[in-house]
């Protein structure tokens, strides 16, 4: 690779678009960086598709290099200058010592270590370089307006709908060198995009085979390690095996299962020699070369990639280097998929623990529930409950916590057990809300005090009283049901929650509570409750703001009492049909998928 340019300090020319963000040094960082830059350029006027593609490719390579080689948090900054040029700077907290060259001098960057990724940057950018500062390093690149000049030969397919498009035909010798010179850089960039979008490690392994065979090798295999095998090598059989001849895949798999890779000590990504499975490939494939690459991400081994090429000729150095670069991207993709799987599993366990296993059946009433969390992979901010409270009473709750994810799970984990406990201890509806409000305030204060003590212990300044953020807010609709001979007595209260609606058999709809303050906001707030009689055929509808605030352009579903009008049209329907009709009307109102959690509960007296 050519000499690396001298250092360059940041300039501040006129610019139309700029952005800056910090990314965790994890396998998810390159994909997040690509999405941010692509979205920003899509909104900027006059940006050509080629410049956008080049910018995303360069950002991907620079962030990937920072994640792989530095392992620290990454600072990403980009701007679109008034001239139309695109400038990106990627900083990390790992200022590597400049390596010495063969003449005893120094180069400002380890070109061999950073490899083909920076060749792509050098190809697409009109200038680029490295800025070293105390404790930090920044790699920058400036792309010309309109993107780099189109290279000779056919342009790469930037759409990349399937992995085979990147490797359509096997090539050798001079053809290898020709393709490596013209197409390898685009191959790496597009392979990064393809792999980064996958959230299943087995699919990553399958795509890896499609990318390598037949363009770079005659066959390949991927072993994936789990917690049980990571200390003792890959063990067992490969997760995926690919061969240019489909008929030989199973024979090759059987042979490879007998010779699993035995990685050397240390975390080296390869390549390392691998025994040639000649018996599995028949007379024409009796000779060849096989190489193994350790898949490493975040300092942790995740598996091994093995490639093989038949015949007496060995792998060219250009191919081994390209596959090593690809293996790093495969490792990042596997790491990201595993991280997503762990988070999804944790979220699923949390979600199961935060919601009732079953909705109680109430004598003299029918109930129907719709619960649709917006983020299928994380704990929802909405929750519900319907449970017996003793002495012929049943209690119900529909709530919405500020935020989502772990913080929401903490609040729900506090609120739901306390609701049940207080109800079964015989507290009235209003008293339950009073005590739950104080509980949330006390918990927020304790959390703020603990955070302040940790900050002081770490050498930071104490936070003045009252300056800490109050984040544990909860809107809640809570009620108590007591069935009797003529219907059901319902006592309920709404704390900052969408008001419940009662539907009479003749289609009349009215609200059943009055608005009150959110829980966890005001100290010593006193709540009140309302009592009404649900006669046979009456239905009570309780919803979260995912229903009332469902948007269609600038309009919301409940504008002009839209929810009441929708409920009025449900007269004569069962609880299940009412719930389904409201759900369908909410979905149809916005056109696309809901952007917020959605929960609704229908209680109907029989």
């Amino acid at each position: 690779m050519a000499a690396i340019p001298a250092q360059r300090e940041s300039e501040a020319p006129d610019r139309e678009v700029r952005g800056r963000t910090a990314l965790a040094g994890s396998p998810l960082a390159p994909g997040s960086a690509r999405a941010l830059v692509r979205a920003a350029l899509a909104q900027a006027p006059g940006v050509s598709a080629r410049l956008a593609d080049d910018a995303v490719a360069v950002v991907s390579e620079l962030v990937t290099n920072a994640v792989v080689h530095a392992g620290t948090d990454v600072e990403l900054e980009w701007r679109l200058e008034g001239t139309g040029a695109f400038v990106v700077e990627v900083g990390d907290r790992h200022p590597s010592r400049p390596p010495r060259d063969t003449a005893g001098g120094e180069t400002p960057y380890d070109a061999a270590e950073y490899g083909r990724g920076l060749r792509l940057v050098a190809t697409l950018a009109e200038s680029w370089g490295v800025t070293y500062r105390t404790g930090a390093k920044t790699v920058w690149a400036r792309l010309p307006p309109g993107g780099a000049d189109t290279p000779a030969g056919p342009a790469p397919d930037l759409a990349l709908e399937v992995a085979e498009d990147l490797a359509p035909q096997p090539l050798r010798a001079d053809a290898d060198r020709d393709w490596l010179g013209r197409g390898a850089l685009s191959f790496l960039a597009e392979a990064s995009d393809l792999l980064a979008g996958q959230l299943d490690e087995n699919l990553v392994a399958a795509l890896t085979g499609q990318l390598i065979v037949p363009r770079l090798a005659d066959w390949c295999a991927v072993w994936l390690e789990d917690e049980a095998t990571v200390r003792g090598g890959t063990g067992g059989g490969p997760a995926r095996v690919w061969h240019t001849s489909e008929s030989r895949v199973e024979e090759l798999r059987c042979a490879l299962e007998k010779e699993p890779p035995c990685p050397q000590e240390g975390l080296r990504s390869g390549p390392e020699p691998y025994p040639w499975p000649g018996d599995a490939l028949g007379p024409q494939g009796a000779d060849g070369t096989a190489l193994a690459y350790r898949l490493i991400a975040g300092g942790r081994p995740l598996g091994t990639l093995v490639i093989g090429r038949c015949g007496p000729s060995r792998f060219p150095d250009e191919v081994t280097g390209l596959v090593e670069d690809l293996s790093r991207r495969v490792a990042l993709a596997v790491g990201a998929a595993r991280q997503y799987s762990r988070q999804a599993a944790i979220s699923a366990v949390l979600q199961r623990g935060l919601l009732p296993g079953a909705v109680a059946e109430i004598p003299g009433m029918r109930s129907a529930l719709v619960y649709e969390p917006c983020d299928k992979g994380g704990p929802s901010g909405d929750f519900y409950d319907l449970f017996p409270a003793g002495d012929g009473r049943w209690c119900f709750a529909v709530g919405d916590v500020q935020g989502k994810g772990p913080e929401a799970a903490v609040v729900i984990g506090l609120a739901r057990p306390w609701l049940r406990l207080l109800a079964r201890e015989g507290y009235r509806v209003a008293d339950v809300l009073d005590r739950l409000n104080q509980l949330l305030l006390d918990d927020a204060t304790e959390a703020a005090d603990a955070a302040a003590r940790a900050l002081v212990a770490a050498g930071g300044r104490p936070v003045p009283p009252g300056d800490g953020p109050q984040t544990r807010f909860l809107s809640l609709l809570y009620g108590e049901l007591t069935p009797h001979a003529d219907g059901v007595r319902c006592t309920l209260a709404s704390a900052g929650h969408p008001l419940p609606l009662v539907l009479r058999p003749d289609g009349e709809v009215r609200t059943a509570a009055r608005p009150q303050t959110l829980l966890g906001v005001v100290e010593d707030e006193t709540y009140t409750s309302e009592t009404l009689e649900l006669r046979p055929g009456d239905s009570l509808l309780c919803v979260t703001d995912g229903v009332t605030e469902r948007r269609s352009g600038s309009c919301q579903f409940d504008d002009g009492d839209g929810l009441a009008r929708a409920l009025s049209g449900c007269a004569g329907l069962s609880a299940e049909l009412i719930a389904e009709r409201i759900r369908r009307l909410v979905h149809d109102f916005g056109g696309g998928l809901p952007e917020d959690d959605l929960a609704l509960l229908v209680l109907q007296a029989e």
Side-chain angles (χ1 to χ4, degrees):
M1 186 168 66
I4 295 174
Q7 298 187 17
R8 167 188 182 274
E9 295 295 335
S10 298
E11 300 173 355
D14 293 337
R15 47 192 178 269
E16 300 170 4
V17 176
R18 67 177 302 169
R20 183 173 186 174
T21 188
L23 301 169
S26 75
L28 300 176
S32 299
R34 286 192 296 270
L36 287 170
V37 172
R38 191 181 296 279
L41 294 182
Q43 298 175 0
V47 177
S48 67
R50 183 170 189 84
L51 176 59
D53 289 334
D54 289 353
V56 169
V58 168
V59 167
S60 178
E61 291 305 322
L62 295 183
V63 174
T64 297
N65 271 338
V67 170
V68 170
H69 299 291
T72 69
D73 289 348
V74 177
E75 294 286 340
L76 170 64
E77 184 172 0
W78 71 88
R79 63 177 177 268
L80 187 65
E81 297 180 349
T83 60
F86 177 83
V87 179
V88 59
E89 299 180 3
V90 175
D92 60 61
R93 301 295 176 184
H94 189 273
S96 302
R97 184 186 299 270
R100 295 186 177 276
D101 61 21
T102 55
E106 292 188 349
T107 58
Y109 214 78
D110 186 350
E113 178 188 5
Y114 284 76
R116 197 172 301 272
L118 289 182
R119 285 180 56 189
L120 183 146
V121 174
T123 299
L124 297 180
E126 65 178 15
S127 60
W128 70 280
V130 187
T131 299
Y132 291 94
R133 296 183 177 87
T134 303
K137 175 176 78 270
T138 299
V139 186
W140 59 267
R142 186 176 190 275
L143 278 62
D149 293 337
T150 304
D157 176 15
L158 295 178
L160 188 62
E161 296 182 356
V162 292
E164 290 93 330
D165 291 343
L166 291 176
Q169 296 294 332
L171 299 174
R172 294 294 183 268
D174 293 339
D176 266 341
R177 287 188 290 273
D178 181 61
W179 179 80
L180 287 167
R182 293 188 296 107
L185 300 181
S186 296
F187 169 86
L188 272 180
E190 296 178 19
S192 296
D193 274 339
L194 180 66
L195 293 170
Q198 310 308 323
L199 298 177
D200 184 291
E201 61 180 279
N202 290 307
L203 181 55
V204 171
L207 291 173
T208 301
Q210 291 178 273
L211 290 166
I212 291 176
V213 178
R215 170 64 75 182
L216 301 174
D218 292 321
W219 59 267
C220 80
V222 178
W223 280 260
L224 296 176
E225 299 175 5
D226 56 27
E227 296 294 336
T229 62
V230 70
R231 291 183 176 82
T234 51
R240 288 291 186 275
V241 176
W242 284 82
H243 195 289
T244 52
S245 174
E246 185 69 25
S247 62
R248 294 186 174 181
V249 169
E250 287 307 315
E251 292 178 283
L252 177 60
R253 178 187 295 276
C254 292
L256 295 176
E257 287 176 349
K258 299 175 183 177
E259 290 281 352
C262 297
Q264 298 181 0
E265 293 295 328
L267 296 176
R268 185 175 182 276
S269 59
E272 300 287 346
Y274 180 85
W276 182 254
D279 294 341
L281 302 179
Q284 294 181 348
D287 296 321
T289 303
L291 299 173
Y293 296 81
R294 198 84 160 119
L295 301 178
I296 299 170
R300 184 180 183 82
L302 303 178
T304 302
L305 166 67
V306 175
I307 62 172
R309 180 176 282 194
C310 300
S313 61
R314 304 176 62 84
F315 281 101
D317 291 342
E318 294 86 354
V319 171
T320 59
L322 180 62
V323 175
E324 185 169 1
D325 278 345
L326 177 64
S327 71
R328 294 192 183 106
R329 288 153 177 78
V330 171
L332 285 172
V334 171
R338 289 189 174 181
Q339 183 175 340
Y340 174 83
S341 297
R342 286 193 294 270
Q343 292 173 343
I346 292 171
S347 296
V349 172
L350 281 174
Q351 195 72 57
R352 287 196 297 269
L354 297 174
L355 297 174
V359 177
E361 295 185 3
I362 305 173
M365 296 200 77
R366 299 184 65 177
S367 63
L369 174 75
V370 172
Y371 179 73
E372 295 180 351
C374 178
D375 181 4
K376 305 299 182 184
S380 165
D382 288 4
F383 72 99
Y384 63 89
D385 207 352
L386 181 59
F387 58 93
D391 300 326
R393 300 175 298 121
W394 278 259
C395 292
F396 66 92
V398 177
D400 187 1
V401 177
Q402 180 197 37
K404 292 178 172 53
E407 277 298 321
V410 169
V411 180
I412 297 173
L414 284 170
R416 187 168 158 263
W418 273 99
L419 282 174
R420 289 193 167 213
L421 177 63
L422 293 170
R424 288 167 177 165
E425 288 294 320
Y427 285 93
R428 299 177 305 159
V429 169
D431 294 335
V432 169
L433 294 191
D434 289 344
R435 284 158 176 76
L436 184 57
N437 178 61
Q438 194 60 48
L439 171 71
L440 292 173
L441 288 166
D442 292 345
D443 183 72
T445 301
E446 291 173 5
D449 289 345
R453 289 193 297 270
L455 183 63
V456 172
R461 286 185 180 177
V463 178
D467 284 0
Q470 291 277 358
T471 59
R472 296 184 173 178
F473 303 158
L474 169 65
S475 78
L476 181 69
L477 176 64
Y478 173 69
E480 179 181 287
L481 302 166
T482 306
H484 55 82
D486 298 325
V488 178
R489 179 175 296 106
C490 176
T491 302
L492 73 172
S494 175
H497 201 79
L499 299 179
L501 299 175
V502 175
L503 170 66
R504 303 298 185 189
D506 60 1
E508 177 192 354
V509 175
R510 68 180 183 89
T511 56
R514 65 181 185 85
Q516 299 181 83
T517 308
L518 283 164
L519 297 175
V521 178
V522 179
E523 188 85 22
D524 297 327
E525 177 76 358
T526 299
Y527 291 88
T528 60
S529 61
E530 317 284 333
T531 299
L532 66 150
E533 293 290 334
L534 296 176
R535 303 300 180 186
D538 289 349
S539 300
L540 179 69
L541 173 64
C542 313
V543 303
T544 59
D545 61 10
V547 173
T548 56
E549 297 179 5
R550 168 71 159 150
R551 301 194 69 87
S552 178
S554 60
C555 300
Q556 294 185 349
F557 184 76
D558 198 32
D559 286 350
D561 293 327
L563 179 59
R565 292 199 311 273
L567 182 60
S568 178
C570 298
L573 298 181
S574 66
E576 293 81 1
L577 291 178
I578 292 174
E580 175 56 27
R581 175 173 287 188
I582 298 298
R583 185 199 70 82
R584 180 167 48 81
L585 290 173
V586 171
H587 274 262
D588 292 346
F589 182 76
L593 293 175
E595 297 179 356
D596 194 4
D597 303 323
L598 185 154
L600 66 90
L601 175 67
V602 178
L603 300 168
Q604 188 176 71
E606 293 182 318

